[in-house]
Amino acid sequence: MTKFTLNSFVLVTLLLGINLLGFSASPVLRHEISMPAPHTHYFQVKTTVDLSQAHWNKPYVDFKMAAWTPGSYLIREFARNVESLSTVKNGTLIPVDKINKNTWRVYLGKGQKQVTISYDIYAFELSVRTSFLDDTHGYINPASVLLYVNELAQQAQSVYINPHKSFLRISTALKQTAVHTYEAKNLDELIDSPIEIGNHQVFEFKVGNIPHQIAFYGLAKVDTTKFIADVKKMCEEAARVIGQHPCDHYLFIIHNLLKGSGGLEHLYSTTCQVARAAYETENGYHGIIGLLSHEYFHLWNVKRIRPKALGPFDYENENYTHNLWLSEGMTSYYGALILQRSGQTTTDAYLKSVANEITTVENTPGNKVESAASASWDAWIKYYRPNENSRNSTISYYSKGAVLGTVLNLWIIKQSNGKANLDDVFRYLYQNYYLKQQRGFTDAELENAFSSVAGTSAKTIFQQLVYGTEKPDYANLLQEVGYEWTDANQGKSTTYLGFTVMAGKIATVLKGSTAYDYGLNVGDEVLKVNLDTFESVDKTLKDKNVGDTILFTVRRDGLERTLAIPVGKSNLAAYKISSMTNLTESQKALRMKWLGKIN
């Protein structure tokens, strides 16, 4: 990819000086996307394959739809939204054979030079992982809209966008070759380049000499001057981690909606969906900048620094890796750390968030059951499909990975006597695998990177904390950088039952609690407590002591039953990180290495 696209081809060439020389005159695959009636939520797509350029030697062409999209590890079956797929033979429109859930086979005539298929795709799921079209805008995640041909995955592909007459602007990180026409060097680049179509605002700034844009869809009360300055400051700090920017342009697509739903990283861009009202509160605004920080750091971690399984992709099947704790969890770690380093978060607020993250992980029963590596491997069947028992049996590779970011950073600093930190691991991976070998790393190579940077073997700590479920020695690690590690709940005798209620029914029952051990079930409708009407768990525990017995009358499967549940003692922690007084020079230096500044 060369330069960044703006809202019209003329503006792009004038303002950014795009050089059109060297672009493919006629890519092997050409896609045309129209939206004549956006209120119906259908994109109309036509895909053409130039068989003469492809040197095709099969009697048919198989067109496929991706089953998932990179960055979101769940089989989503995008083919379910394809309708009316057909091709033209001898001037006649004919249906195409569908040979499996996501593959359409077109048989070729003798001497046929090209094949074109047309179809409609329903797009009315507004998330960063899917595509959406209505009368206000269109959003295209190419994995869920465009068909591809496996044998031509490394060939250049073009996309022509025919916007509805009411849509005046197109934003994408794909390079522009003509009016409304964009090109990708291969399938991976195409699928990793979302497209926003509509009447959104566009904000511009530079990080170094690299042009950045924000495609800003939806209404929001925001000081745009401050917002752009804050995003720029975050981007500049993020780039310092590796010390080298991987691309020559970048695009933020931001959807301002009633409710936010997170973000998804891409090769030269990201899509983030945020609550439009969040800009109006300090916490909400900080949360938006934090989301953008997370997604922006993915430019390096995942998009370039990646496990071998995460590219080139198999778009039809699961792509398994043990290392989402690093790819996603440590991106969360850096998303927060970057804002602390840039001064956009105070050190005290940052330390509080670190302590809260650790508290959440250590208070989750599944943390003692599932390792970070296992959580990563099973993301395809567990993370995006939680059930009532998930907290008892699983741990989020986001949260656990963020905690491991804290712990392994402290471990490296301690082992190297302050000569290195976690930044150096990412620089090592970036240089040795992305730049030098243009590939991802293996599990063994990842562990070796930590060993090389720390100056001692990481095998034991990986076995304990990455592949195992041991609890890190937080206190000793934090002491090295001059912080005390305490549990605000230690010594307290807090009453506890271990279940939560939503709309009158039990929503969760945590392993190790008396509710779990004595038979309350998720889905039980709580009717009475000691023959009185049930109001809430807190009111039930008021004036109760550890060891008291409570009679719960519940309705289960339409039948009433009564269970005697002893009141237990809470084993939940509430961790805090606080600075020691009279720091040694060593602690000051190591703290600087950990946080990037002294506070």
Side-chain angles (χ1 to χ4, degrees):
M1 298 172 71
T2 55
K3 292 291 183 181
F4 200 22
T5 60
L6 288 176
N7 304 320
S8 75
F9 182 65
V10 174
L11 283 175
V12 173
T13 55
L14 288 177
L15 297 179
L16 295 182
I18 286 185
N19 178 8
L20 299 184
L21 298 177
F23 286 4
S24 298
S26 180
V28 173
L29 281 88
R30 302 189 301 277
H31 307 276
E32 299 179 26
I33 305 175
S34 301
M35 54 214 76
H39 64 281
T40 67
H41 320 302
Y42 279 95
F43 289 110
Q44 293 181 352
V45 185
K46 183 165 69 174
T47 295
T48 300
V49 177
D50 187 332
L51 298 171
S52 59
Q53 283 197 80
H55 306 293
W56 200 258
N57 57 11
K58 290 184 178 181
Y60 58 82
V61 178
D62 284 344
F63 292 88
K64 295 179 175 291
M65 175 70 76
W68 68 288
T69 190
S72 182
Y73 307 100
L74 176 70
I75 299 296
R76 297 185 181 275
E77 311 295 15
F78 294 129
R80 71 188 189 278
N81 292 319
V82 175
E83 299 178 23
S84 306
L85 192 145
S86 61
T87 189
V88 175
K89 277 190 179 180
N90 300 320
T92 303
L93 201 66
I94 63 170
V96 175
D97 290 342
K98 190 174 185 182
I99 63 172
N100 61 32
K101 66 178 183 178
N102 71 316
T103 307
W104 292 262
R105 177 165 292 177
V106 178
Y107 290 95
L108 303 174
K110 186 175 181 180
Q112 189 170 343
K113 299 298 184 183
Q114 72 174 34
V115 58
T116 299
I117 58 170
S118 302
Y119 58 95
D120 297 334
I121 188 109
Y122 185 69
F124 197 51
E125 184 178 350
L126 188 53
S127 81
V128 297
R129 300 166 292 275
T130 52
S131 294
F132 183 85
L133 178 65
D134 71 2
D135 59 1
T136 66
H137 77 132
Y139 173 70
I140 296 171
N141 180 341
S144 64
V145 169
L146 298 178
L147 298 182
Y148 65 93
V149 178
N150 255 337
E151 295 88 340
L152 304 178
Q154 296 309 311
Q155 299 294 318
Q157 305 193 33
S158 69
V159 180
Y160 171 72
I161 303 293
N162 181 19
H164 186 262
K165 61 184 179 181
S166 65
F167 297 157
L168 304 178
R169 190 165 284 143
I170 299 170
S171 291
T172 179
L174 289 169
K175 69 183 180 183
Q176 189 166 10
T177 57
V179 176
H180 297 170
T181 304
Y182 308 87
E183 186 172 316
K185 64 184 178 183
N186 55 33
L187 176 64
D188 284 341
E189 186 174 272
L190 177 65
I191 282 186
D192 222 3
S193 300
I195 305 168
E196 177 69 20
I197 308 151
N199 300 304
H200 50 277
Q201 299 179 76
V202 176
F203 309 132
E204 298 175 307
F205 61 94
K206 286 187 176 181
V207 175
N209 294 319
I210 300 165
H212 285 55
Q213 284 189 337
I214 301 173
F216 200 74
Y217 164 79
L219 299 175
K221 294 180 181 179
V222 57
D223 180 340
T224 56
T225 301
K226 172 177 166 47
F227 180 61
I228 294 166
D230 286 342
V231 175
K232 174 182 170 69
K233 189 174 185 180
M234 173 275 292
C235 292
E236 290 171 341
E237 191 65 45
R240 292 188 184 99
V241 176
I242 305 301
Q244 180 178 345
H245 209 286
C247 54
D248 61 3
H249 66 281
Y250 190 80
L251 171 67
F252 292 96
I253 297 174
I254 299 179
H255 293 158
N256 298 291
L257 310 170
L258 178 62
K259 294 182 179 180
S261 63
L264 188 66
E265 69 276 6
H266 296 284
L267 195 60
Y268 296 88
S269 61
T270 183
T271 302
C272 296
Q273 294 185 346
V274 304
R276 64 175 72 96
Y279 298 92
E280 301 173 42
T281 68
E282 184 177 351
N283 286 341
Y285 183 84
H286 183 265
I288 291 172
I289 301 298
L291 172 63
L292 299 183
S293 179
H294 175 108
E295 299 304 335
Y296 193 71
F297 191 68
H298 271 313
L299 257 182
W300 295 271
N301 193 25
V302 168
K303 288 297 141 191
R304 276 87 187 169
I305 302 166
R306 59 176 176 79
K308 257 192 166 183
L310 300 185
F313 296 105
D314 176 351
Y315 294 105
E316 296 184 86
N317 303 293
E318 294 86 349
N319 292 222
Y320 291 104
T321 173
H322 290 117
N323 297 314
L324 292 181
W325 62 270
L326 179 116
S327 298
E328 289 292 352
M330 284 205 177
T331 301
S332 292
Y333 173 71
Y334 270 100
L337 183 61
I338 285 164
L339 299 187
Q340 189 274 148
R341 287 178 174 177
S342 68
Q344 291 169 284
T345 299
T346 66
T347 300
D348 285 345
Y350 172 71
L351 293 173
K352 183 177 180 181
S353 72
V354 169
N356 289 343
E357 188 87 75
I358 295 172
T359 297
T360 297
V361 167
E362 295 298 339
N363 283 343
T364 301
N367 182 46
K368 300 176 178 64
V369 176
E370 184 178 52
S371 69
S374 294
S376 302
W377 192 265
D378 282 343
W380 298 92
I381 58 173
K382 291 185 178 182
Y383 182 77
Y384 290 95
R385 292 172 174 162
N387 61 26
E388 68 281 355
N389 196 49
S390 292
R391 286 192 63 193
N392 291 327
S393 60
T394 67
I395 191 65
S396 163
Y397 51 80
Y398 282 89
S399 297
K400 187 62 177 283
V403 169
L404 288 175
T406 296
V407 170
L408 291 175
N409 199 2
L410 289 167
W411 177 80
I412 291 168
I413 292 167
K414 179 179 180 179
Q415 297 300 319
S416 67
N417 293 317
K419 295 178 182 177
N421 65 7
L422 190 59
D423 293 5
D424 296 295
V425 173
F426 282 95
R427 290 169 185 157
Y428 180 101
L429 294 169
Y430 186 82
Q431 291 290 330
N432 285 281
Y433 299 106
Y434 170 64
L435 289 182
K436 291 182 180 179
Q437 302 186 52
Q438 298 183 338
R439 67 170 176 86
F441 51 78
T442 66
D443 291 359
E445 287 167 342
L446 176 61
E447 183 181 310
N448 179 66
F450 277 85
S451 299
S452 298
V453 169
T456 188
S457 174
K459 185 176 183 60
T460 298
I461 198 166
F462 262 58
Q463 287 299 318
Q464 292 172 339
L465 305 185
V466 175
Y467 297 101
T469 59
E470 292 188 30
K471 184 176 180 179
D473 190 348
Y474 300 109
N476 282 333
L477 288 169
L478 285 164
Q479 184 178 4
E480 296 288 330
V481 293
Y483 286 109
E484 291 181 346
W485 176 249
T486 56
D487 177 4
N489 286 345
Q490 188 171 7
K492 293 182 180 179
S493 184
T494 305
T495 55
Y496 184 64
L497 289 167
F499 72 93
T500 62
V501 174
M502 184 177 296
K505 292 187 176 181
I506 294 178
T508 58
V509 182
L510 293 186
K511 187 179 292 186
S513 67
T514 55
Y516 184 94
D517 292 338
Y518 284 82
L520 285 180
N521 287 184
V522 168
D524 286 351
E525 181 182 358
V526 186
L527 303 175
K528 295 180 180 180
V529 177
N530 291 337
L531 303 180
D532 293 326
T533 301
F534 173 78
E535 295 184 52
S536 70
V537 174
D538 288 342
K539 287 188 176 181
T540 297
L541 287 174
K542 188 178 180 181
D543 301 325
K544 297 294 189 301
N545 297 310
V546 174
D548 291 349
T549 296
I550 302 174
L551 296 178
F552 284 91
T553 301
V554 301
R555 182 181 289 119
R556 183 185 299 171
D557 192 30
L559 302 176
E560 290 188 14
R561 59 189 302 177
T562 299
L563 296 96
I565 311 296
V567 176
K569 177 182 176 181
S570 174
N571 61 357
L572 300 179
Y575 293 119
K576 294 178 64 177
I577 300 173
S578 52
S579 183
M580 297 175 177
T581 57
N582 302 318
L583 298 184
T584 66
E585 290 305 311
S586 173
Q587 286 173 321
K588 289 179 181 179
L590 296 184
R591 182 183 293 189
M592 175 70 80
K593 197 70 176 177
W594 186 49
L595 295 176
K597 61 183 182 180
I598 291 288
N599 260 353

